[in-house]
């Protein structure tokens, strides 16, 4: 039922900053036959978006003109990391361009089922650093809590594809985190908890609030942050009531997975503004992806657009050698060159740290351009961003 809203309802939507269409970067959803008759109130409802995710060939084929490789990829994805695309994200896809960066991140290709010899199911060795279910403890003072196995959209390059998108539980069950929380309680060195997944923001507010409350009650936990992609793939989820829940258990920090400037629509900007206005510092995490964001000018555009919506670029990750992602991986030099083209050439706040998560569980290792040309007896020979050489005496 299209346009069944009263003017009063429409006014309220606009006042709440919702009902905002993606803008010039996306298609108006009513132009897509699959969504022509969707009520704008439904469209803005995150649960409607979740319920109506695209998971089947006959749905996606109404939104894009599939290539043979995509058709094969979708058929093969059954029973593995499933395809799931929010209707909102679908409006950002270019229906005619198989290289569209939005499209390549969500529609499996036949390439995904070619496993290269050095690829692994768990490239960062998370399972072997797990002292309790759903918990990874690798660094001395902080832990990673894998809060759920579900996400709004499944990214084809996902590092955790061994666990995400296999089976979806809307309610992860009350006791699910007990062991992890006990472990955090009994380890006074843990001052920082990163809640990731899957995506914690697809949890119901009572469930997420309950988890935050339990963590906040631990005196030595000083710092809690959420790792999420929801502001990008399901911005409708950032509601006033979610914000109220997050504020209740603040201070909280948030890392948001952004890969391409096209992801920064008016809708996503609105979601980030709500979060930033609530006092949640926002950082970005980006995976370096071949043909998607591996050119310096694309990455520069991304980091500049992020600063405009108050998101501080935090990390660029080398794409981990997870099974079936060879077609996404670039040489390491590509990432180093991107940092070379940013550092000094633009605002320092716009420059993230490029890291490789060491295969086998070594953690994140920063890699970047080398500015020290030589160092001996307190004499440093340095170069600056434009290549001029300087000597610094200690
Ligand atoms: C990334 C990560 C963290 C957090 O690392 P920061 O550099 O502090 O952001 C913590 N634990 C694990 C296992 C991680 O992979
Ligand atoms: S949102 Fe994160 S965890 Fe979920 S599929 Fe994408 S990369 Fe994986």
């Amino acid at each position: 039922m299209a346009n069944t809203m009263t003017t009063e309802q429409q006014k309220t939507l606009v006042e709440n900053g919702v009902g905002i269409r993606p803008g010039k970067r996306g298609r108006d959803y009513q132009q897509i036959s699959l969504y022509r008759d969707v009520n704008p109130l439904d469209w803005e409802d995150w649960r409607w978006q979740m319920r109506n995710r695209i998971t089947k060939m006959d749905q996606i084929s109404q939104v894009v003109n599939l290539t043979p490789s995509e058709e094969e990829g979708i058929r093969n994805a059954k029973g593995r990391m499933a395809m799931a695309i929010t209707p909102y994200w679908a409006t950002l896809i270019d229906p005619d361009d198989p290289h569209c960066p939005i499209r390549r991140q969500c529609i499996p290709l036949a390439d995904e089922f070619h496993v290269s010899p050095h690829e692994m199911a768990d490239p960062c060795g998370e399972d072997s650093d797990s002292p309790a279910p759903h918990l990874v403890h690798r660094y001395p003072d902080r832990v990673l809590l894998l809060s759920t196995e579900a996400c709004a959209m499944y990214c084809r390059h996902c590092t955790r594809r061994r666990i995400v998108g296999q089976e979806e539980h809307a309610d992860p069950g009350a006791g699910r985190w007990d062991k992890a929380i006990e472990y955090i309680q009994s380890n006074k060195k843990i001052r920082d908890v990163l809640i990731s997944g899957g995506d914690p923001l697809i949890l119901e507010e009572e469930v997420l609030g309950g988890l935050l409350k339990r963590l906040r009650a631990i005196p030595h936990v000083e710092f809690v942050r959420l790792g999420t992609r929801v502001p990008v793939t399901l911005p409708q989820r950032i509601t006033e009531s979610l914000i109220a829940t997050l504020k209740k258990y603040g201070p909280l920090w948030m890392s948001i997975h952004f890969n391409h400037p096209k992801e920064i629509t008016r809708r996503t900007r609105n979601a980030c503004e709500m979060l930033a206005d609530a006092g949640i510092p926002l950082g970005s995490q980006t995976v370096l992806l071949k043909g998607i964001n591996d050119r310096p000018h694309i990455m520069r555009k991304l980091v500049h657009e992020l600063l405009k919506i108050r998101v501080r670029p935090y990390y660029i990750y080398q794409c981990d050698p997870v099974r079936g992602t060879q077609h996404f991986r670039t040489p390491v030099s590509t990432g180093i060159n991107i940092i070379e083209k940013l550092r000094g050439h633009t605002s320092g706040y716009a420059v993230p740290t490029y890291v490789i998560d060491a295969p086998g569980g070594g953690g994140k290792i920063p890699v970047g351009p080398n500015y020290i040309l030589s160092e001996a007896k307190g004499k440093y020979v340095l170069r600056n961003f434009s290549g001029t050489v300087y000597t610094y005496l200690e």
Side-chain angles (χ1 to χ4, degrees), residues 14-87:
V14 172
E15 277 167 7
N16 291 339
V18 297
I20 297 174
R21 301 214 167 109
K24 64 178 187 298
R25 293 195 180 96
R27 282 196 278 175
D28 188 331
Y29 71 86
Q30 282 155 338
Q31 287 167 5
I32 298 174
S33 60
L34 198 56
Y35 304 127
R36 196 171 38 226
D37 297 329
V38 174
N39 183 319
L41 286 170
D42 282 337
W43 187 263
E44 283 304 328
D45 175 358
W46 72 274
R47 291 187 183 84
W48 182 91
Q49 289 275 337
M50 285 296 283
R51 274 199 309 275
N52 288 279
R53 289 184 304 171
I54 294 174
T55 56
K56 297 196 179 73
M57 185 92 79
D58 65 334
Q59 298 167 315
I60 189 68
S61 64
Q62 294 179 61
V63 179
V64 305
N65 301 313
L66 294 171
T67 64
S69 170
E70 288 171 330
E71 285 179 357
E72 193 186 331
I74 294 165
R75 270 194 298 272
N76 286 346
K78 280 212 188 94
R80 316 210 201 180
M81 185 171 78
M83 176 176 75
I85 303 167
T86 56

Side-chain angles (χ1 to χ4, degrees), residues 284 286 288 293-300 303 312-318 331-356 365-371 383-386:
S284 70
T286 298
L288 183 58
N293 58 16
D294 58 346
R295 293 204 313 238
H297 77 274
I298 304 271
M299 210 56 106
R300 191 184 320 120
V303 294
R312 160 75 155 105
Y314 182 43
Y315 280 137
I316 294 178
Y317 294 101
Q318 173 66 4
V332 173
S333 60
T334 303
I336 294 176
N337 184 46
I338 285 170
I339 303 297
E340 176 80 54
K341 296 273 160 56
L342 293 175
R343 173 59 69 199
H345 298 275
T346 190
S347 323
Y349 272 122
V351 186
T353 306
Y354 174 44
V355 295
I356 299 180
I365 301 177
V367 280
N370 187 8
Y371 298 99
R383 70 165 176 98
N384 75 354
F385 73 98
S386 62

Side-chain angles (χ1 to χ4, degrees), residues 124 126 129 136-139 141-144 160 192 194 223 225 255 285 314-315 317 357 363-364:
C124 306
E126 293 180 332
D129 271 344
V136 185
H137 191 186
R138 165 159 309 146
Y139 301 106
D141 68 341
R142 56 206 189 281
V143 289
L144 167 66
R160 301 215 179 96
D192 173 1
L194 163 54
F223 188 63
R225 44 182 163 160
S255 297
Q285 320 203 69
Y314 182 43
Y315 280 137
Y317 294 101
D357 215 323
K364 299 177 184 71

Side-chain angles (χ1 to χ4, degrees), residues 116 259 356:
S116 312
N259 291 333
I356 299 180

Side-chain angles (χ1 to χ4, degrees), residues 81 105 148-161 164-165 196-199 227-230 233 257 259 287:
M81 185 171 78
Q105 292 184 71
T148 117
E149 271 133 39
C151 302
M153 176 193 94
Y154 293 114
C155 312
R156 305 324 301 177
H157 55 271
C158 181
T159 289
R160 301 215 179 96
R161 58 186 305 147
V164 304
S196 180
D199 202 310
T228 177
R229 198 164 200 213
V230 153
T233 53
H257 182 163
N259 291 333
V287 183

Side-chain angles (χ1 to χ4, degrees), residues 121 147 149 270 289 313 390:
S147 60
E149 271 133 39
N270 174 254
L289 297 167
Y390 298 87

